[in-house]
C-alpha cells in the first residue's frame, strides 16, 4: 500500500503541471488583462476585460485597436498615454518577462506555496484565501454532511421499499427538488422567509450578526445556525437526487445477488443483512463520487449562493477574480482546488480498502 501511495503522490506533480500549463496558455490568448483594466480605468472606459492580455496576440479590433496601433502600443485604451508608463505597468504585473519565464517562476513559487499578492486587492493571495475559507468551509461541510446524512439512509430505505408508495412519492419529491436550480430556491426562500413578501424569520446577509462577539457560546452557535439555514437549504436541495438514486440502485443490485439470499436463509435479520453484508459492497460506487461532490460543494456549487446571500467565500472570490483578471488569485485557487481534488481522490481509493479489504491497489498498475 505504501508503494501505491508513493506512486500516486509522484503522479500528482505532472498532473498539477498539466493543469497549470493549460490554464496559463489559455490566459495568454484570452481577451483582457490587468494592464488593460488599469488603462480602461484611467480612460474612464469599461473594465470588463474586453481587450487582449498584455504580450498576447490577436485582433485588436475596432477603432480602439486602430488608435492603439497608431500610438505604438499593443493595448486598447493606451492612446495618449506615456509609453514609459505602459512599460512600468507591465513591470508591475510581471508582463515585462517572457511567458515561459513567468510560467516557470509561478511553478517554483507554487511549489513553496508562495502565491504572491493580489493585483487589485491590498493583500497577499494566501491572506485572501484564509479570510474567505471559513465561509466556504461552512457551506461545503454542512452541505456534504446533510446531503450524505439524508441521501444514504433514504436511498437504502427506497431500495428496501422498492415499488411501494413510499418509494414513489419520495422519488417525485426528490426529482422536483433536483429540477429546481439552487439560485431559484435561494430567491424563493428569501422572498418567503427573509423579509420578502411574507415572513421575516431569517437574516439576509452574512454568517453572523453584528453583535456576534458579545454573545455567549450558546448564543454564537444559535446565531450561526440561524444565518446558515437558508443558504444550506438552497445548496443541499438539489444534491439529494443523484446520491439518493445512486444509493438505491446500488443496494438494489446487491440485494438481488446470491450471497444476500444465502445470508437470509441462515436466519440473519434484515438489518444484519443490509448493514453487515450489502452495505460494504453497495457503498463502493457511492464513495467514488465523493471527490467530485467535495470540490463542487467548496467551489462551483456555492458561487451563486454566496452572491445571493452576500457570503464572502472562496467561490465569490474566484468568480470576481476571473472577471477582474486578478491572475494571482485565479491561479492560486486553481492550484489549491486541483491539489485538494487529487488528495481527496487518493483518500477515496484508500477508503475503498477499509470498506472492502478484497480491493488491493498494490496488485494493479496506477
Amino acid at each position: 500500500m505504501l508503494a501505491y501511495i508513493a506512486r500516486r503522490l509522484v503522479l500528482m506533480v505532472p498532473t498539477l503541471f498539466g493543469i497549470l500549463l493549460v490554464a496559463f496558455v489559455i490566459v495568454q490568448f484570452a481577451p483582457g488583462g490587468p494592464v488593460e483594466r488599469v488603462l480602461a480605468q484611467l480612460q474612464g472606459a469599461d473594465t470588463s476585460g474586453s481587450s487582449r492580455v498584455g504580450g498576447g496576440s490577436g485582433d485588436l479590433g475596432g477603432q480602439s485597436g486602430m488608435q492603439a496601433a497608431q500610438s505604438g502600443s499593443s493595448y486598447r485604451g493606451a492612446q495618449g498615454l506615456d509609453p514609459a508608463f505602459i512599460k512600468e505597468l507591465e513591470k508591475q504585473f510581471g508582463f515585462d518577462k517572457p511567458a515561459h519565464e513567468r510560467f516557470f517562476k509561478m511553478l517554483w513559487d507554487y511549489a513553496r506555496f508562495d502565491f504572491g499578492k493580489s493585483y487589485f486587492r491590498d493583500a497577499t493571495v494566501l491572506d485572501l484565501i484564509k479570510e474567505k475559507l471559513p465561509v466556504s468551509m461552512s457551506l461545503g461541510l454542512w452541505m456534504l454532511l446533510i446531503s450524505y446524512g439524508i441521501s444514504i439512509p433514504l436511498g437504502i430505505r427506497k431500495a428496501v421499499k422498492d415499488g411501494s408508495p413510499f418509494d414513489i412519492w419520495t422519488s417525485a419529491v426528490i426529482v422536483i427538488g433536483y429540477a429546481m436550480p439552487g439560485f431559484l430556491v435561494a430567491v424563493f426562500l428569501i422572498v418567503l422567509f427573509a423579509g420578502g413578501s411574507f415572513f421575516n424569520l431569517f437574516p439576509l446577509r452574512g454568517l453572523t450578526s453584528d453583535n456576534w462577539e458579545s454573545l455567549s457560546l450558546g448564543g454564537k452557535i444559535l446565531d450561526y445556525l440561524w444565518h446558515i439555514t437558508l443558504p444550506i437549504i438552497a445548496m443541499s436541495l438539489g444534491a439529494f437526487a443523484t446520491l439518493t438514486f445512486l444509493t438505491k440502485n446500488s443496494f438494489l443490485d446487491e440485494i438481488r445477488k446470491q450471497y444476500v439470499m444465502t445470508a437470509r436463509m441462515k436466519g440473519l435479520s434484515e438489518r444484519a443483512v443490509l448493514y453487515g453484508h450489502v452495505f460494504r459492497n453497495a457503498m463502493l460506487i457511492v464513495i467514488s463520487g465523493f471527490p467530485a461532490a467535495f470540490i463542487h460543494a467548496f467551489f462551483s456549487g456555492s458561487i451563486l449562493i454566496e452572491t445571493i446571500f452576500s457570503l464572502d467565500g472562496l467561490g465569490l472570490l474566484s468568480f470576481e477574480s476571473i472577471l477582474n483578471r486578478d491572475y494571482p488569485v485565479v491561479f492560486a485557487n486553481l492550484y489549491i482546488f486541483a491539489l485538494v481534488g487529487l488528495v481527496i481522490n487518493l483518500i477515496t481509493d484508500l477508503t475503498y480498502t477499509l470498506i472492502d479489504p478484497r480491493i488491493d491497489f498494490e496488485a494493479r498498475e496506477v
Side-chain angles (χ1 to χ4, degrees):
M1 182 58 67
L2 291 178
Y4 172 76
I5 296 174
R7 290 197 300 269
R8 288 290 299 272
L9 292 176
V10 170
L11 283 174
M12 288 182 186
V13 177
T15 303
L16 288 172
F17 176 85
I19 292 172
L20 291 176
L21 177 62
V22 171
F24 187 84
V25 170
I26 291 174
V27 163
Q28 303 313 300
F29 294 96
V35 175
E36 286 84 348
R37 185 172 185 269
V38 173
L39 295 177
Q41 290 175 334
L42 292 174
Q43 298 286 357
D46 177 65
T47 61
S48 60
S50 60
S51 53
R52 51 181 276 253
V53 174
S57 61
D59 183 16
L60 293 175
Q63 183 64 28
S64 178
M66 293 176 61
Q67 292 174 342
Q70 291 170 359
S71 67
S73 173
S74 61
Y75 298 105
R76 288 184 178 182
Q79 58 273 12
L81 296 177
D82 186 357
F85 174 72
I86 306 298
K87 293 293 184 183
E88 186 63 28
L89 280 179
E90 290 180 340
K91 183 177 181 180
Q92 176 183 340
F93 293 117
F95 291 136
D96 58 326
K97 299 180 177 65
H100 69 277
E101 186 176 332
R102 286 186 278 123
F103 177 69
F104 284 107
K105 181 181 184 303
M106 181 181 70
L107 290 182
W108 171 245
D109 291 339
Y110 282 16
R112 297 176 290 122
F113 287 89
D114 178 9
F115 303 115
K117 291 191 65 175
S118 167
Y119 284 161
F120 304 110
R121 300 170 186 252
D122 188 22
T124 65
V125 175
L126 202 55
D127 287 340
L128 284 174
I129 293 175
K130 289 179 181 178
E131 178 186 345
K132 315 299 182 185
L133 186 60
V135 175
S136 294
M137 286 185 64
S138 294
L139 294 174
L141 289 177
W142 277 111
M143 176 182 168
L144 285 177
L145 289 174
I146 292 175
S147 61
Y148 272 75
I150 295 178
S151 296
I152 292 176
L154 180 59
I156 295 174
R157 183 68 175 175
K158 286 173 66 62
V160 173
K161 299 290 186 179
D162 183 42
S164 67
F166 172 82
D167 180 40
I168 295 172
W169 73 259
T170 53
S171 295
V173 172
I174 292 171
V175 170
I176 292 173
Y178 180 74
M180 297 179 64
F183 71 89
L184 186 61
V185 176
V187 173
F188 172 77
L189 292 174
I190 289 174
V191 171
L192 189 59
F193 297 113
S197 303
F198 298 92
F199 306 102
N200 189 14
L201 302 178
F202 294 95
L204 186 58
R205 300 174 59 88
L207 286 181
T208 57
S209 299
D210 294 336
N211 64 335
W212 191 80
E213 292 293 340
S214 63
L215 297 175
S216 63
L217 178 60
K220 289 180 178 180
I221 294 175
L222 290 176
D223 182 72
Y224 167 75
L225 295 176
W226 182 45
H227 281 76
I228 204 73
T229 299
L230 295 187
I232 292 302
I233 292 175
M235 286 184 64
S236 302
L237 192 60
F240 292 137
T242 302
L243 187 57
T244 300
F245 287 123
L246 183 64
T247 303
K248 174 191 173 182
N249 294 333
S250 181
F251 266 78
L252 281 177
D253 289 341
E254 293 296 325
I255 287 173
R256 295 164 180 166
K257 291 184 177 179
Q258 185 66 40
Y259 75 91
V260 176
M261 297 177 61
T262 303
R264 286 170 173 165
M265 292 175 63
K266 289 181 178 180
L268 295 178
S269 66
E270 190 67 17
R271 184 178 182 85
V273 172
L274 285 176
Y275 293 98
H277 293 75
V278 177
F279 185 84
R280 183 177 62 184
N281 297 321
M283 286 303 295
L284 287 175
I285 191 171
V286 176
I287 291 175
S288 66
F290 179 79
F294 184 89
I295 299 300
H296 177 79
F298 268 74
F299 180 56
S300 59
S302 63
I303 291 176
L304 289 175
I305 302 300
E306 288 179 11
T307 303
I308 292 172
F309 288 99
S310 300
L311 303 175
D312 196 7
L314 287 179
L316 186 58
L317 173 66
S318 300
F319 179 69
E320 291 179 344
S321 299
I322 293 172
L323 293 181
N324 294 328
R325 303 301 194 265
D326 198 347
Y327 293 141
V329 180
V330 173
F331 280 107
N333 275 286
L334 176 65
Y335 177 80
I336 290 173
F337 283 116
L339 181 60
V340 169
L342 292 171
V343 172
I344 292 297
N345 269 300
L346 175 58
I347 294 175
T348 300
D349 285 349
L350 298 180
T351 307
Y352 283 152
T353 62
L354 296 177
I355 296 177
D356 191 348
R358 295 172 299 174
I359 297 178
D360 183 12
F361 289 108
E362 291 281 9
R364 71 179 183 89
E365 296 292 332
V366 178

